[in-house]
């Protein structure tokens, strides 16, 4: 039962981070990801100097390969997601909801990730896909193809991140500290490359925003540790659905703090979001 509380605590932190801090910090989405990841790495460095705590101690070659895959998946997911959040918090967050439904499909391609799937899960996936098309229609209708591709990219790579998080924790026995460090490390590296791909700057425009970046990095450090600890006992599908708290919270907080976001809740967004939320509820039945 404690695993569920660890996941809930982690996704609650992400709701605050994604709904307020990402949009509130005056830099690009990849800038937010890069600097907060470096803060997380610095925290590990301090822990090593004070306590001699090496997060990668006893990591074996096979574990390292999957940690690399986890880190790269997380980096691409967050690069797409944080950049999309700068455009529209509600739409990008709802796109992100597709991830738990995509989780169902990955084991068909990679049997190594097999987890039992019921008939209702398949129905939920179909309904969620319908919701996805409504969101896509909303984005494309407004001529925002960039938001569509960013949202779809974040959902695909977040679904991989969900699967890999459970696999390294459950099947490979990787510690939460090793998974968290790898996620920060590869995110910091990959975000720089993603900045060039997206043609975004990493510069922080307001000096006081460095305090938000430090706070965000510290929040993410604890949230990742909690998430990987909870991943040992909570399935990928359940973690994906519990992650809905992150997106609901991000939308609510984003619309509260940034009033211009409310106008982006179009009819298509409401319908698509409702279908995706309904699909998530079906998974829990």
């Amino acid at each position: 039962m404690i695993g569920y509380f660890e996941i809930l605590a982690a996704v609650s932190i992400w709701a605050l981070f994604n709904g307020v801090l990402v949009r509130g910090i005056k830099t690009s989405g990849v800038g937010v990801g890069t600097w907060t990841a470096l803060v997380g790495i610095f925290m590990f460095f301090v822990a090593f100097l004070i306590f001699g705590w090496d997060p990668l101690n006893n990591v074996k070659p096979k574990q390292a390969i999957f940690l690399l895959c986890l880190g790269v998946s997380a980096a691409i997911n967050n690069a797409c997601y944080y950049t999309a959040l700068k455009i529209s918090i509600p739409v990008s967050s709802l796109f992100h909801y597709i991830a738990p439904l995509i989780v169902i499909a990955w084991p068909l391609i990679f049997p190594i990730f097999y987890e039992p799937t019921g008939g209702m899960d398949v129905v939920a996936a179909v309904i969620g896909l319908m919701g996805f098309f409504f969101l896509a229609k909303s984005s494309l209708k407004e001529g925002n193809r960039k938001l569509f591709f960013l949202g779809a990219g974040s959902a695909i790579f977040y679904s991989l991140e969900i699967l890999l998080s459970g696999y390294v924790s459950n099947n490979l026995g990787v510690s939460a500290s090793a998974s968290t460090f790898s996620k920060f490390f590869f995110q910091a590296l990959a975000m720089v490359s993603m900045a060039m791909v997206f043609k975004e700057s990493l510069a922080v425009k307001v000096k006081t925003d460095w305090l938000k970046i430090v706070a965000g990095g510290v929040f993410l450090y604890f949230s990742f540790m909690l998430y990987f600890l909870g991943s040992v006992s909570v399935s990928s599908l359940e973690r994906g659905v519990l992650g809905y708290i992150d997106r609901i919270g991000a939308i609510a907080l984003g619309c509260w703090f940034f009033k211009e976001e409310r106008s982006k809740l179009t009819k298509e967004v409401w319908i698509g979001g409702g279908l995706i939320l309904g699909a998530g509820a079906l998974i829990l039945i």
Side-chain angles (χ1 to χ4, degrees):
M1 193 62 172
I2 184 106
Y4 290 94
F5 287 110
E6 288 167 337
I7 299 297
L8 284 170
V11 298
S12 297
I13 293 172
W14 295 346
L16 174 64
F17 183 83
N18 295 327
V20 180
L21 288 180
V22 173
R23 181 63 178 271
I25 297 172
K26 298 298 185 292
T27 184
S28 64
V30 287
V32 174
T34 301
W35 296 117
T36 52
L38 289 172
V39 171
I41 292 171
F42 179 74
M43 291 186 68
F44 277 106
F45 179 69
V46 171
F48 177 76
L49 290 179
I50 297 175
F51 306 109
W53 184 26
D54 181 2
L56 299 179
N57 187 35
N58 296 324
V59 171
K60 298 175 176 60
K62 182 178 179 180
Q63 294 173 323
I65 292 172
F66 278 93
L67 285 173
L68 168 63
C69 294
L70 170 63
V72 172
S73 296
I76 298 175
N77 157 39
N78 288 330
C80 292
Y81 188 39
Y82 296 167
T83 304
L85 285 171
K86 293 286 187 178
I87 302 172
S88 171
I89 293 174
V91 176
S92 57
S93 296
L94 288 169
F95 264 120
H96 221 49
Y97 270 116
I98 300 294
L101 307 173
I102 301 175
V103 164
I104 299 171
W106 283 120
L108 300 176
I109 304 171
F110 303 106
I112 194 174
F113 297 126
Y114 173 76
E115 290 182 0
T117 302
M120 194 61 73
D121 297 330
V122 177
V123 173
V126 172
I127 294 174
L129 187 61
M130 291 169 60
F132 171 82
F133 285 123
F134 272 99
L135 292 182
K137 180 182 177 183
S138 174
S139 299
L140 297 175
K141 181 180 178 181
E142 296 177 8
N144 204 332
R145 292 179 180 272
K146 182 178 180 180
L147 179 58
F148 167 72
F149 287 116
L150 288 171
S154 73
I156 291 169
F157 284 97
Y158 181 46
S159 68
L160 274 174
E161 183 184 342
I162 291 171
L163 274 180
L164 288 164
S165 297
Y167 188 77
V168 299
S169 300
N170 252 332
N171 299 66
L172 300 182
V174 177
S175 67
S177 57
S179 297
T180 299
F181 178 82
S182 299
K183 192 169 176 178
F184 276 133
F185 180 75
F186 290 113
Q187 178 166 308
L189 289 179
M191 284 284 188
V192 176
S193 300
M194 296 301 289
M196 291 187 284
V197 173
F198 292 163
K199 298 180 180 179
E200 299 276 4
S201 171
L202 300 180
V204 179
K205 298 175 183 177
V206 180
K207 291 182 178 179
T208 53
D209 278 353
W210 284 107
L211 293 174
K212 298 176 186 177
I213 288 171
V214 172
V218 172
F219 284 152
L220 289 180
Y221 171 85
F222 287 109
S223 70
F224 291 165
M225 291 290 283
L226 287 167
Y227 187 80
F228 287 117
L229 287 169
S231 294
V232 174
S233 57
V234 181
S235 74
S236 298
L237 198 56
E238 289 174 320
R239 278 183 284 113
V241 175
L242 288 172
Y244 281 14
I245 293 172
D246 162 21
R247 271 75 76 192
I248 292 173
I251 293 170
L253 289 170
C255 290
W256 176 267
F257 281 94
F258 308 103
K259 294 182 180 179
E260 66 273 15
E261 292 294 323
R262 299 173 191 175
S263 64
K264 297 170 184 175
L265 292 169
T266 63
K267 179 179 71 175
E268 287 86 356
V269 171
W270 280 108
I271 296 172
L275 287 170
I276 294 169
L277 286 173
L282 283 176
I283 289 176
L284 293 176
I285 294 176

